[in-house]
Amino acid sequence: MLIKNNKEKEKLPRPLEAKIILTLTFCSKQVVFYKKLHKVFFVHSIPKSASGKILRKDLRAKLATATTMS
């Protein structure tokens, strides 16, 4: 399996690896081939505003910091 953790250069734990594989296979069965996912990022919580809308700016900022750190 080619899924690796960039920080430690080691193989991911089995449950996390299985979760990633299940997510990618489920999504690939549900969407058209050109909309297929290439990467999956898991977060502890989704930031929401007071009205309950997802704060996409905060998610993009977390993604930007995560990709620059690894």
Side-chain angles (χ1 to χ4, degrees):
M1 184 105 272
L2 297 175
I3 301 171
K4 293 188 180 232
N5 187 349
N6 290 338
K7 277 188 175 177
E8 300 171 9
K9 299 291 183 192
E10 295 179 0
K11 213 163 169 63
L12 291 172
R14 287 252 185 227
L16 184 60
E17 185 177 330
K19 187 183 286 189
I20 291 170
I21 292 170
L22 286 174
T23 304
L24 289 174
T25 54
F26 175 77
C27 291
S28 66
K29 290 178 184 177
Q30 300 293 323
V31 299
V32 183
F33 70 93
Y34 58 87
K35 292 184 179 182
K36 190 174 178 182
L37 296 177
H38 298 285
K39 294 180 181 179
V40 177
F41 295 96
F42 292 97
V43 293
H44 292 286
S45 63
I46 298 174
K48 294 186 179 182
S49 67
S51 62
K53 293 183 178 181
I54 296 173
L55 298 173
R56 292 186 179 97
K57 289 180 185 178
D58 293 347
L59 285 175
R60 287 186 192 111
K62 280 185 183 180
L63 177 64
T65 57
T67 54
T68 57
M69 293 176 80
S70 48

